[in-house]
Amino acid sequence: MEFEKVEIVYFLGIGGIGMSALARYFHHHKKIVLGYDKTRTGLTTELEMEGISIHYDDTVLEIPHILKVTPKEKVLVIFTPAIPHDSSEKNWFIDNGYTLYKRSQVLGFITDSLPTIAVAGTHGKTTTSSLAAHILKHSEKGCNAFLGGISANYKTNLLLGEKTDWTVVEADEFDRSFLTLSPTISIITSTDADHLDIYGDANHVIEGFQLFAEKIKTGGHLIVKKGLEIDIKKIPNECSVYFYSINEEGDFFATNIRVENGKYHFDFHSPFGNVSDISLGQPGRHNVENAVAASAACLLAGVDISSLKAALNDFSGVARRFQYIISTPELTYIDDYAHHPSELEAAIKSTKELFPNKKITGIFQPHLFTRTRDFADDFAQSLDLLDECILLPIYPARELPIEGVTSEMLLGKMKIERKVLVQKNELIPFLSENRPEVLLTLGAGDIDIFVDQIRNLFA
């Protein structure tokens, strides 16, 4: 794709976190950026305030006239897989001979000729990529970054560097999108089974990550969490492979992990030297692991180890990734994107480690009928780590209901005594009558609409 010839970039599903970063990128590069999304959100409002035109009705009549009269070779159409097959606009572009590109394909075009750090994993990739970008920005290296969340340090999901060759991207396994990338440095944080509606079974998930690992550029570096099923014998000989861990020694690893004054401290060990008493700016034991992976990538990218400590201390996290909303002696409220059993376990265990003598209440909104069906027992086991669980109905996203797959089914599998299912319109009244000590909101659906309501309730 020759971006130099493109004058207009049109987004089908512009409000997604990854799509909006691309929209901002092309807007920065003086392209005419237009788009459709089904729902107006805070993020789409920000894009409109930045000068990007967006509409919210899926109809051919809303497609801007300027696009229809511009030669096709000067128009780039990017769509998200969340756009349904019967979308009027999507089918208009197909019927009129336009080539439609997925977000991941365009990311591949942008980064193909650039030194790139790509972070893959069924969980951990957003925080790890944000950490890597922050370390690079904090150092003299700098970077461009397409992030899967809003960085608390920079208040955006797109970072642009003036004097840098490095680009950081999140390599999404959904729909095998990450196979469009050929990184210089690859990180694989986890290969737990997920998206079985795409992959079919756990073995095919691992196969997808194996193929991603093999796409590394000649002379590049692969960084893998120790213990994952990646066959390094298939990695080209010209590439280096490193392992990281927080549970045991590896090429890069953490020791002496402890909680002091509500923060995680640890010592970092690497082939480039060691750093003692790092105080991570974002809480969570799982985020110590993410910090080790991000630090490994940045050191291999040429960052001086002496700059690591200050950068990690200064990291403020990512919106909806173990994000403190309220922190008072009476109530701690943390919001987290966790939507997979392993992510729930990590978030809940970290909370219990931070607040060992307090009651932990979790509000969980299951995301997708297929994921709830495929991992129901694992979800129940993770949620049983809570002292009290409030379940919301399943958020369907792109799916239709599956008979028998409900939050009631999940509730029945849980063993803890204090558990309840409430409808979304019942949540705030329920919380007002049952004030928690430590509260977690968990999920990848629209549970975030309650964050401000909960904040205001207990303010």
Side-chain angles (χ1 to χ4, degrees):
M1 184 72 196
E2 297 182 42
F3 292 140
E4 296 78 11
K5 296 180 179 179
V6 171
E7 296 178 0
I8 301 175
V9 187
Y10 191 75
F11 288 84
L12 288 164
I14 195 169
I17 194 69
M19 293 282 277
S20 58
L22 270 183
R24 284 171 161 155
Y25 172 84
F26 284 112
H27 185 64
H28 172 79
H29 286 280
K30 311 301 182 186
K31 308 296 183 183
I32 299 172
V33 178
L34 310 162
Y36 155 78
D37 207 284
K38 67 176 182 179
T39 306
R40 187 186 298 273
T41 64
L43 189 48
T44 60
T45 299
E46 287 179 11
L47 295 178
E48 290 181 284
M49 292 176 65
E50 291 166 20
I52 296 173
S53 178
I54 303 173
H55 65 271
Y56 300 91
D57 292 320
D58 179 24
T59 169
V60 174
L61 297 176
E62 289 280 8
I63 297 175
H65 178 70
I66 187 174
L67 188 149
K68 295 178 180 178
V69 298
T70 301
K72 291 184 180 65
E73 64 270 17
K74 295 184 179 181
V75 176
L76 172 61
V77 183
I78 306 172
F79 74 102
T80 171
I83 293 290
H85 295 300
D86 61 355
S87 162
S88 298
E89 293 195 26
K90 180 180 178 182
N91 284 304
W92 182 88
F93 284 108
I94 293 171
D95 293 342
N96 283 274
Y98 288 83
T99 301
L100 277 62
Y101 295 92
K102 294 180 182 179
R103 177 188 67 90
S104 58
Q105 291 175 292
V106 178
L107 263 185
F109 295 145
I110 292 172
T111 61
D112 186 54
S113 61
L114 300 173
T116 301
I117 297 173
V119 184
T122 42
H123 30 263
K125 54 184 174 288
T126 296
T127 300
T128 304
S129 57
S130 299
L131 275 158
H134 178 68
I135 294 168
L136 287 165
K137 291 284 282 187
H138 209 270
S139 75
E140 61 183 21
K141 287 286 182 183
C143 74
N144 300 305
F146 297 86
L147 304 177
I150 302 298
S151 163
N153 289 87
Y154 307 102
K155 313 301 181 188
T156 184
N157 54 348
L158 174 70
L159 305 185
L160 296 167
E162 294 180 4
K163 298 179 180 179
T164 179
D165 291 328
W166 283 98
T167 299
V168 179
V169 299
E170 186 173 314
D172 189 3
E173 76 279 2
F174 175 73
D175 204 25
R176 297 180 175 84
S177 293
F178 55 2
L179 299 184
T180 62
L181 302 171
S182 297
T184 314
I185 299 175
S186 297
I187 300 175
I188 300 179
T189 65
S190 51
T191 58
D192 291 346
D194 198 7
H195 302 300
L196 298 188
D197 54 326
I198 300 294
Y199 288 93
D201 57 41
N203 288 334
H204 284 96
V205 174
I206 294 172
E207 178 187 62
F209 281 99
Q210 179 69 47
L211 293 172
F212 169 75
E214 294 171 23
K215 285 185 66 65
I216 193 166
K217 282 190 173 80
T218 300
H221 307 289
L222 175 64
I223 304 166
V224 182
K225 180 180 173 180
K226 197 168 184 178
L228 297 186
E229 294 183 56
I230 299 296
D231 186 354
I232 62 171
K233 294 178 182 177
K234 294 182 179 180
I235 307 303
N237 292 332
E238 301 85 359
C239 300
S240 304
V241 180
Y242 299 89
F243 295 96
Y244 74 95
S245 178
I246 62 167
N247 300 315
E248 54 185 316
E249 289 192 11
D251 298 299
F252 301 89
F253 63 101
T255 60
N256 196 21
I257 304 170
R258 69 266 185 207
V259 175
E260 295 178 4
N261 299 318
K263 281 193 170 186
Y264 276 81
H265 292 245
F266 65 98
D267 299 337
F268 174 75
H269 304 264
S270 83
F272 300 89
N274 304 328
V275 184
S276 61
D277 195 28
I278 292 172
S279 173
L280 186 61
Q282 183 177 26
R285 179 173 286 265
H286 54 297
N287 287 321
V288 173
E289 186 171 79
N290 294 333
V292 170
S295 298
C298 291
L299 292 176
L300 292 167
V303 171
D304 191 284
I305 193 167
S306 63
S307 64
L308 272 187
K309 188 171 185 176
L312 293 173
N313 289 355
D314 183 60
F315 183 66
S316 300
V318 185
R320 302 223 60 230
R321 267 63 174 188
F322 212 81
Q323 179 184 12
Y324 277 93
I325 306 298
I326 298 174
S327 182
T328 67
E330 296 77 27
L331 172 66
T332 300
Y333 169 32
I334 298 167
D335 182 41
D336 196 87
Y337 189 71
H339 57 283
H340 183 280
S342 297
E343 295 168 348
L344 292 175
E345 180 181 352
I348 296 167
K349 283 185 173 179
S350 288
T351 306
K352 295 177 79 168
E353 192 170 16
L354 286 164
F355 306 99
N357 301 313
K358 293 193 174 184
K359 183 182 74 172
I360 311 297
T361 300
I363 306 169
F364 177 54
Q365 182 190 47
H367 183 262
L368 298 179
F369 293 103
T370 53
R371 183 181 284 123
T372 306
R373 176 198 64 198
D374 294 338
F375 303 108
D377 291 338
D378 296 324
F379 274 123
Q381 185 175 343
S382 295
L383 292 169
D384 279 340
L385 295 169
L386 293 164
D387 298 307
E388 179 180 46
C389 181
I390 302 166
L391 277 181
L392 296 175
I394 296 172
Y395 183 79
R398 57 189 177 270
E399 294 184 339
L400 295 174
I402 298 174
E403 186 176 355
V405 180
T406 63
S407 289
E408 288 94 332
M409 174 268 291
L410 198 56
L411 195 75
K413 291 179 175 289
M414 294 169 57
K415 296 178 181 178
I416 57 171
E417 292 185 8
R418 297 179 63 85
K419 57 184 179 179
V420 63
L421 171 65
V422 303
Q423 299 302 309
K424 289 162 70 173
N425 63 346
E426 300 170 338
L427 178 60
I428 299 303
F430 181 88
L431 289 175
S432 67
E433 296 177 6
N434 299 271
R435 186 184 179 96
E437 286 185 274
V438 177
L439 179 65
L440 290 168
T441 43
L442 304 157
D446 63 357
I447 191 171
D448 59 321
I449 65 175
F450 293 107
V451 171
D452 285 339
Q453 295 179 50
I454 294 171
R455 190 200 326 254
N456 294 335
L457 176 66
F458 295 120

